Amino acid sequence: CSIKGPSWFHFSSSDPFEKQYRSIIFNQSIISSSLEMAIPVIDFSKLEGKERAETLARIANGCQEWGFFQLVNHGIPVELLERVKKVCSECYRLRAEGFKASKPVQLLNKLVEEESDAADAKPLDNVDWEDVFLLQDDNEWPANPPEFRAPMKEYREELRKLAEKVMEVMDENLGFEKGSIRNSFSGNGEHQPFFGTKVSHYPPCPRLDMVNGLRAHTDAGGVILLFQDDQVGGLQILKDGQWIDVQPVANAIVINTGDQIEVLSNGRYKSVWHRVLTTSDGNRRSIASFYNPSLKATIAPGTNKDDSATALYPKYVFGDYMDVYVKQKFLAKEPRFAAVTAV
């Protein structure tokens, strides 16, 4: 299969990320090694006790070595999480017929019909096997089920607060002043950071070899907080050349760092390639909240009093970065920074 970017975008044979990128996108034989490695699971409540230093270190390790980690005892009531699971599952039940008529289903059906006539039928590389909608403070939310809005509004407020706590921990671990990352995202309070919640379901798929649940990518923004299905797996991250399962943990919140945290940390923290595999016998629920900079915010590597390192990333307006990202989301990450420098 082939993926083409904008006409001005190309790889040269000397690009250091070319080999890694092509293995991620084109080589589907990379083996998952979930039995050998597991995503860190961290008790967030221990920040308040005698184990604070150890917990800070574990979070720093999660950001530096993994780009993903899971928080338990994060302060969000289990009762609220149960209501969120219930209303999101019911919302999808009401949307399921619509998914059957969606573009991914139509394309897969067509591919299967034509497969007998083409010995070299290729997987679908430009769609995701995903039913999805986005919740923001000011957009239209599903009207049904009627009980959907109240728990989701409460949940979003809890997640927004948790995201800000996580960013303060990152500030401390990076040696920044408290509130530095949040201030970068808001232009020192002049703009409102973006906070959106993506509600996804990945229904059972009849041809796992022909389509991904969600194609491999890194996230464009800041801090991502995921409440994933605790029964149906499928989320994987790329670590040390292998796809690793993000193991389901009941009532945990999965944290991952986006491209802007990589820039603000000057590369100490990395945004990580991740994907969702299709499954044949489960409907995977995924509720991801994104705490991102305002489109008007200026992003650049941060500094602390002990930091004399050269800036490894450019300074730019986040809206300009997003203009590049929407064209290159499923392409290698490094050219985005080069492209935004030229804007």
Side-chain angles (χ1 to χ4, degrees):
C1 60
S2 63
I3 296 179
K4 295 183 69 176
S7 58
W8 48 265
F9 177 86
H10 67 280
F11 287 116
S12 72
S13 59
S14 62
D15 284 331
F17 46 80
E18 177 183 8
K19 183 177 180 181
Q20 179 193 27
Y21 166 70
R22 293 193 180 281
S23 70
I24 292 167
I25 298 301
F26 300 115
N27 183 0
Q28 295 301 315
S29 64
I30 297 176
I31 299 172
S32 170
S33 184
S34 59
L35 295 178
E36 297 178 9
M37 290 190 279
I39 308 302
V41 178
I42 301 170
D43 186 339
F44 201 56
S45 69
K46 291 186 177 180
L47 280 174
E48 305 302 324
K50 296 180 180 179
E51 297 180 45
R52 177 177 176 80
E54 179 183 344
T55 305
L56 285 170
R58 293 194 67 199
I59 293 173
N61 174 265
C63 293
Q64 289 177 308
E65 300 299 327
W66 292 85
F68 270 72
F69 54 93
Q70 305 203 52
L71 294 181
V72 296
N73 295 325
H74 38 61
I76 302 173
V78 171
E79 177 272 335
L80 174 58
L81 296 177
E82 289 297 325
R83 283 194 289 143
V84 166
K85 288 194 288 188
K86 182 178 179 180
V87 297
C88 286
S89 294
E90 176 62 16
C91 188
Y92 175 73
R93 189 185 68 80
L94 299 173
R95 295 168 56 89
E97 288 301 316
F99 180 76
K100 292 177 182 178
S102 67
K103 180 180 177 181
V105 175
Q106 291 176 355
L107 289 174
L108 183 60
N109 287 341
K110 182 179 179 182
L111 188 66
V112 171
E113 289 173 4
E114 296 174 348
E115 190 175 16
S116 59
D117 299 325
D120 60 344
K122 297 178 180 179
L124 297 171
D125 62 7
N126 60 350
V127 295
D128 302 308
W129 192 262
E130 177 186 32
D131 176 81
V132 59
F133 59 88
L134 182 68
L135 304 177
Q136 297 174 236
D137 291 337
D138 57 356
N139 73 335
E140 184 177 355
W141 290 24
N144 289 303
E147 62 272 18
F148 179 83
R149 175 174 285 272
M152 293 307 294
K153 182 178 180 182
E154 183 180 350
Y155 171 78
R156 277 173 45 79
E157 287 307 309
E158 291 288 341
L159 264 289
R160 197 190 314 253
K161 290 186 288 186
L162 179 60
E164 292 173 351
K165 290 178 183 177
V166 169
M167 289 190 292
E168 288 183 357
V169 171
M170 291 180 180
D171 286 333
E172 185 171 350
N173 279 333
L174 290 167
F176 295 167
E177 291 185 8
K178 184 177 181 179
S180 291
I181 295 175
R182 185 179 178 184
N183 286 339
S184 294
F185 284 8
S186 68
N188 291 316
E190 293 184 15
H191 312 294
Q192 185 68 31
F194 172 86
F195 187 73
T197 299
K198 175 187 168 191
V199 180
S200 302
H201 283 83
Y202 302 92
C205 178
R207 289 297 301 270
L208 308 186
D209 59 324
M210 288 296 183
V211 64
N212 276 313
L214 182 60
R215 288 162 284 171
H217 65 286
T218 67
D219 289 323
V223 175
I224 298 86
L225 306 94
L226 170 67
F227 182 31
Q228 71 165 342
D229 201 298
D230 55 13
Q231 300 295 322
V232 183
L235 176 62
Q236 296 185 323
I237 70 167
L238 190 71
K239 179 171 173 58
D240 300 331
Q242 292 184 319
W243 286 106
I244 308 300
D245 292 329
V246 180
Q247 69 275 17
V249 176
N251 301 317
I253 300 296
V254 181
I255 306 295
N256 74 279
T257 50
D259 295 347
Q260 307 317 304
I261 295 296
E262 178 170 330
V263 173
L264 289 170
S265 71
N266 202 28
R268 290 173 61 184
Y269 297 168
K270 298 290 188 182
S271 59
V272 172
W273 285 91
H274 54 285
R275 68 182 183 183
V276 177
L277 301 181
T278 48
T279 60
S280 58
D281 57 357
N283 181 20
R284 184 178 188 275
R285 179 186 61 254
S286 170
I287 307 166
S289 296
F290 299 79
Y291 197 114
N292 290 352
S294 160
L295 292 176
K296 297 179 180 179
T298 298
I299 302 298
T303 59
N304 59 52
K305 61 183 180 181
D306 301 318
D307 191 358
S308 58
T310 301
L312 302 177
Y313 298 82
K315 179 179 180 180
Y316 53 80
V317 175
F318 181 59
D320 292 338
Y321 184 84
M322 286 304 300
D323 288 342
V324 173
Y325 180 85
V326 296
K327 301 172 184 175
Q328 299 186 19
K329 176 177 179 179
F330 301 108
L331 297 173
K333 173 175 56 176
E334 290 81 357
R336 299 175 203 156
F337 301 119
V340 78
T341 304
V343 172

